[in-house]
């Protein structure tokens, strides 16, 4: 494949894709809501009525509003139909036909099985869930068929890789990434350009690029969605990274719980190899890069980079102390670049549009956008991509449509390593530093909304149970500390604790935080510390009850 | 699983062999091979683990260590039906804990156990990535969302009332 072939192919495909089309989300949540059957019924309905103009039917990735799936969109008008059922398909096809003929969006009469107080179809352009978004990572998601490399190409796919290989030196690529201000989306927020240049500076020889798709944070499904909806963008990002740091072998480490993402990745890899975009002599240049998939086996700690590499080597996923950092001595002792799925997904647009474009989005220290999975007790659950610096209030109230019934109490970010942000701090802009100041972290992008009925001590106990079970057991502070913390929290929840137990809770948290070997243990106390800070009264209430009981019984 | 199949007679061993061969019997392909073995046999029997250890020239202790470290691998056979309750954060705040206790009560087993008649296995997951339809449950490999104790209770009772299950007792 050369540039001209790519462009010709892209152009031809663009024409095909611009014709009237019903696009059905056939991944993630929609899939478990019977989306495949819906798509099949639409195809049957269309094929039996010779329609003018003809309408194509395509399966695409996540459209964002997952809780209202299966979602179906009519293009080019962009009208979205939600909660489509196999039974409502005839009506839907009819409405689509009328819309195309009259150019006026036709709504569906009450097809909403969950009877939520919202229209069953609307113009995404006008809904705050969509208007406040800024899709970069998700630009193709819900628009292209993830199993067709041609559709990715029609949307500027692999152009950035070509540009990097032919118009830029490896160090120019790294400069662009550095200047863009992109920071790792896997949780830590380490500057991506700096990480790349560390690996690039290591002496030439065997180097590796790893994509971390372990997504262990419960309640987070951004990476799953990106891999299911637009896998080529991750491959392209990895290939550009490999060129920049001088690697010829890559691995994608992906959770075993995500069979569809694995399937789409395998398809994407096969197609990219066939087109000469992966493998040897990519784009007929001297650059070689192979990617293999490694499937995780359900251990949260394997998301930690050193544990992940141990797992790729076929061992138990035990973290080891850093330094040495993977950039110096990683997989099989070779310099290794490891980045998150979303980090890689940002690379191609940065190369295509330039570092300045990217640096113009977001805040001073947090550039670009962030994908969040908005879940919990909220009206609109799904995936959103917003510029860094968007406030929590905008996300929860405007985009999320507020809490189901009742009002919000807190938002949990960062999963088991993060914390709970109370409603009075909802005007905080979402960026790495602001969230850290509130005792939480950006994390990988899970955002769980909790309402007034949620018991925050129970939430802390929930996360501690998670960490206790996921602790790999290598170091004592984490192995024993998480058990102790969990026992203390259980005691508190059961109303058996005294006020001085809170003091031990605090001390134990600090100890585990300061002395654990890896990030899991170091951050395990965060959910306790943040709930203790913002919701101390809920802890005290549980104490107080017990204290008065004591008086009565003695 | 019926009796102990002889490695050469059971076609599953041949498929496993092919997988190891494709990985050139590299010790670092252990996790890939275990995935395949579990897919073929449903769980990792001691014989199978030993066979893998010999083939990849790994000490059995290491194979056992890896197989027990990862939640995905199971060393005991699972029931005819499976119920996996998601206990991820999104499902948790939407009442997954009460779903779990409902199933525990109906089936009279704890999480991680199989009913004595081998009918139902109950386990939990960390997030299925279907948080949009929380609380979510996987019944016999099928993800189903928007669960309530009532709905789930009915489905589980139905599974347990299956004629095949009755015969097994
Ligand atoms: C316990 C633990 C779990 C982690 N889980 C993940 C994960 O699921 N996905 C991820 O990308 N990074 C995870 N990380 C962060 C990785 O170690 C690593 O920093 C990251 O993949 C680097 O990529 P980035 O610079 O692009 O963010 C985890 C870290 C720790 C300590
Ligand atoms: S902190 Fe916990 S997870 Fe990390 S190495 Fe120590 S025991 Fe293992
Ligand atoms: S999975 Fe269908 S909209 Fe997200
Ligand atoms: S938390 Fe249950 S599916 Fe994500």
């Amino acid at each position: 494949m050369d540039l001209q072939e790519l462009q010709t192919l892209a152009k031809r495909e663009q024409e095909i894709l611009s014709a009237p089309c019903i696009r059905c989300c056939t991944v993630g949540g929609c899939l478990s809501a019977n989306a495949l059957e819906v798509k099949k019924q639409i195809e049957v309905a269309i094929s039996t009525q010779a329609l003018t103009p003809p309408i194509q039917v395509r399966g695409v990735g996540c459209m964002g509003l997952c809780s209202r799936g299966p979602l179906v969109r009519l293009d080019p008008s962009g009208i979205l139909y939600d909660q489509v059922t196999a039974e409502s398909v005839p009506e839907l096809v009819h409405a689509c036909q009328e819309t195309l003929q009259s150019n006026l969006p036709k709504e569906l009469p009450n097809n909403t099985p969950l009877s939520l107080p919202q229209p069953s179809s609307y113009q995404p352009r006008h809904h705050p869930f969509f208007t406040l978004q800024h899709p970069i990572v998700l630009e193709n998601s819900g628009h292209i068929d993830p199993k067709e490399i041609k559709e990715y190409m029609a949307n500027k796919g692999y152009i950035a890789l070509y540009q990097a290989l032919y118009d830029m030196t490896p160090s120019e690529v790294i400069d662009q990434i550095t200047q863009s201000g992109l920071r790792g989306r896997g949780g830590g927020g380490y500057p991506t350009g700096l990480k790349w240049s560390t690996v690039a500076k290591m002496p030439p020889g065997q180097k590796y690029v790893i994509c971390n798709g372990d997504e262990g944070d419960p309640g987070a499904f951004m990476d799953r969605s990106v891999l299911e909806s637009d896998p080529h963008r991750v491959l392209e990002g990895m290939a550009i990274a490999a060129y920049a740091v001088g690697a010829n072998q890559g691995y994608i480490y992906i959770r075993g719980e995500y069979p569809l993402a694995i399937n789409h990745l395998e398809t994407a890899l096969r197609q990219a190899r066939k087109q000469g975009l992966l493998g040897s002599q990519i784009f007929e240049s001297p650059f070689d890069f192979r990617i293999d998939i490694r499937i995780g086996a359900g251990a949260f700690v394997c998301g930690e980079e050193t544990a992940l590499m141990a797992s790729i080597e076929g061992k138990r996923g035990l973290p080891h102390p850093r330094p040495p950092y993977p950039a110096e001595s990683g997989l099989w002792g070779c310099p290794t670049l490891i980045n998150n799925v979303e980090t890689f997904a940002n690379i191609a647009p940065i190369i295509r549009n330039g570092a300045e474009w990217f640096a113009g989005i977001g805040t001073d220290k947090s550039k670009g956008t962030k994908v969040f999975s908005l879940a919990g007790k909220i009206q609109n659950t799904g995936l959103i991509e917003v510029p860094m610096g968007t406030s929590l209030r905008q996300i929860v109230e405007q985009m999320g449509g507020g809490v189901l019934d009742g009002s919000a109490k807190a938002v949990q970010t960062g999963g088991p390593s993060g914390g709970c942000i109370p409603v009075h701090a909802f005007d905080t802009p979402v960026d790495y530093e602001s969230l850290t100041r509130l005792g939480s972290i950006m994390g990988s992008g899970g955002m769980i909304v909790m309402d007034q009925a949620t018991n925050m001590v129970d939430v802390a106990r929930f996360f501690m149970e998670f960490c206790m079970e996921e602790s790999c057991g290598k170091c004592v502070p984490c192995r024993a500390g998480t058990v102790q913390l969990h026992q203390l929290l259980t005691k508190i929840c059961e109303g058996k604790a005294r006020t001085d137990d809170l003091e031990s809770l605090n001390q134990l948290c600090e100890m585990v935080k300061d002395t654990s070997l890896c990030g899991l243990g170091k951050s395990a106390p965060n959910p306790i510390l943040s709930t203790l800070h913002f919701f101390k009264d809920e802890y005290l209430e549980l104490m107080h009850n017990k204290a008065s009981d004591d008086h009565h019984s003695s | 699983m019926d009796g102990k199949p002889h490695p050469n007679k059971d076609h599953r061993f041949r498929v496993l062999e092919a997988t190891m061969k494709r990985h050139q019997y590299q010790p670092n392909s252990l996790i890939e091979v275990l995935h395949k073995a579990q897919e073929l046999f449903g769980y990792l029997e001691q014989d199978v683990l030993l066979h893998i250890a010999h083939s990849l020239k790994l000490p059995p202790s290491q194979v056992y260590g890896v197989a027990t470290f990862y939640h995905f691998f199971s060393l005991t056979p699972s029931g005819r039906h499976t119920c996996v309750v998601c206990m991820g954060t999104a499902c948790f705040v939407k009442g997954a804990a009460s779903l779990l206790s409902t199933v525990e009560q109906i089936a009279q087993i704890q999480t991680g156990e199989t009913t004595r008649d081998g009918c139902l296995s109950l386990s939990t997951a960390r997030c299925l990535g279907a948080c949009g339809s929380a609380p979510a449950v996987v019944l016999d490999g099928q993800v189903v969302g928007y669960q309530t104790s009532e709905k789930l209770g009915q489905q589980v009772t139905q599974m347990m009332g299956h004629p095949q299950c009755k015969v097994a007792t």
Side-chain angles (χ1 to χ4, degrees), chain A residues 10-159:
Chain A
K11 197 140 180 229
R12 196 181 328 133
E13 193 64 20
Q14 275 160 8
E15 273 162 31
I16 300 174
L17 291 178
S18 61
C21 180
I22 296 180
R23 292 196 161 79
C24 309
C25 170
T26 48
V27 302
C30 292
L31 197 65
S32 47
N34 214 15
L36 280 182
E37 183 60 26
V38 166
K39 176 170 175 262
K40 205 175 107 200
Q41 292 299 329
I42 296 178
E43 280 165 341
V44 171
I46 296 242
S47 67
T48 51
Q49 327 173 4
L51 297 179
T52 39
I55 309 179
Q56 316 173 49
V57 183
R58 283 170 199 269
V60 295
C62 177
M63 297 183 180
L65 202 45
C66 314
S67 61
R68 297 179 68 86
L71 289 180
V72 166
R73 195 185 55 242
L74 174 68
D75 288 325
S77 35
I79 184 168
L80 198 65
Y81 297 95
D82 68 346
Q83 293 174 342
V84 180
T85 58
E87 293 78 50
S88 64
V89 161
E91 276 175 355
L92 171 99
V93 171
H94 189 70
C96 288
Q97 225 176 328
E98 283 190 31
T99 307
L100 285 175
Q101 279 159 3
S102 63
N103 255 332
L104 287 175
K106 278 278 171 301
E107 295 207 347
L108 280 188
N110 47 34
N111 75 325
T112 317
L114 283 183
S115 65
L116 288 174
Q118 262 174 16
S120 54
S121 53
Y122 38 81
Q123 291 285 75
R125 302 192 259 284
H126 303 145
H127 196 286
F129 184 84
F130 297 98
T131 49
L132 294 175
Q133 296 205 37
H134 187 134
I136 296 174
V137 170
L138 302 180
E139 61 187 350
N140 292 336
S141 186
H143 292 278
I144 67 168
D145 182 345
K147 292 192 296 263
E148 287 296 339
I149 191 171
K150 281 189 216 152
E151 297 201 14
Y152 180 66
M153 290 172 168
N155 286 279
K156 309 197 187 99
Y158 289 105
I159 288 283

Side-chain angles (χ1 to χ4, degrees), chain A residues 32 67 218-219 221 224 255 294-298 302 311 313-317 332 376-377 381 462-463 466 469-470, chain B residues 28 30-32 35 65-66 69-73 87-90 92-94 126-132 143 146:
Chain A
S32 47
S67 61
F221 51 101
R224 164 180 177 173
R255 278 185 93 188
R294 284 290 179 272
I295 297 168
C302 286
S311 185
E313 292 173 8
K315 304 182 198 141
R316 288 192 288 160
W332 291 296
K377 295 271 184 74
T381 307
F462 165 78
F463 281 117
F466 181 94
E469 283 171 10
E470 295 296 334
Chain B
N28 66 48
L30 176 59
I31 294 173
E32 278 18 73
H35 268 297
V66 169
F69 180 83
Y70 294 97
H71 303 306
F72 217 79
F73 301 130
M87 285 296 276
T89 325
F92 174 75
V93 303
K94 287 199 158 179
R126 285 313 190 198
C127 178
L128 313 164
C131 323
V143 180
Y146 302 112

Side-chain angles (χ1 to χ4, degrees), chain A residues 184-190 192 195 212 214-217 223 300-301 303-305 338-341 343 518-520:
Chain A
R185 301 297 194 233
Y190 190 80
T192 305
K195 201 186 260 187
N212 186 342
D214 197 44
E215 191 155 69
D217 175 1
D223 294 348
F300 173 66
V301 72
E304 198 278 340
E305 51 195 26
I338 173 161
N339 274 130
N340 167 259
V341 168
T343 313
C518 85
L520 192 151

Side-chain angles (χ1 to χ4, degrees), chain A residues 300-301 304 306-307 317-321 467 470-480 482 512 515-524, chain B residues 69:
Chain A
F300 173 66
V301 72
E304 198 278 340
T306 59
L318 301 183
H320 69 68
C467 292
E470 295 296 334
S471 165
C472 80
K474 180 167 173 171
C475 65
V476 181
C478 167
R479 182 178 67 219
T482 51
V512 172
T515 53
S516 289
L517 176 87
C518 85
L520 192 151
K522 282 196 205 340
S523 62
Chain B
F69 180 83

Side-chain angles (χ1 to χ4, degrees), chain A residues 191-271:
Chain A
T192 305
L194 195 55
K195 201 186 260 187
W196 287 24
S197 68
T198 315
V199 182
K201 276 188 204 125
M202 295 300 288
Q206 184 64 57
K207 294 179 186 177
Y208 296 101
V209 168
I210 298 176
C211 172
N212 186 342
D214 197 44
E215 191 155 69
D217 175 1
F221 51 101
M222 306 79 45
D223 294 348
R224 164 180 177 173
S225 195
V226 171
L227 293 169
E228 283 180 354
S229 307
D230 197 9
H232 284 287
R233 125 185 328 266
V234 178
L235 305 186
E236 188 177 4
M238 287 178 75
I240 294 170
Y243 171 72
V245 303
N248 65 3
Q249 173 68 47
Y251 290 98
I252 301 178
Y253 189 88
I254 179 167
R255 278 185 93 188
E257 286 89 338
Y258 290 172
L260 187 69
I262 297 171
N263 177 299
H264 285 187
L265 264 178
E266 282 169 347
T267 309
L269 280 173
R270 221 173 20 247
Q271 292 176 344

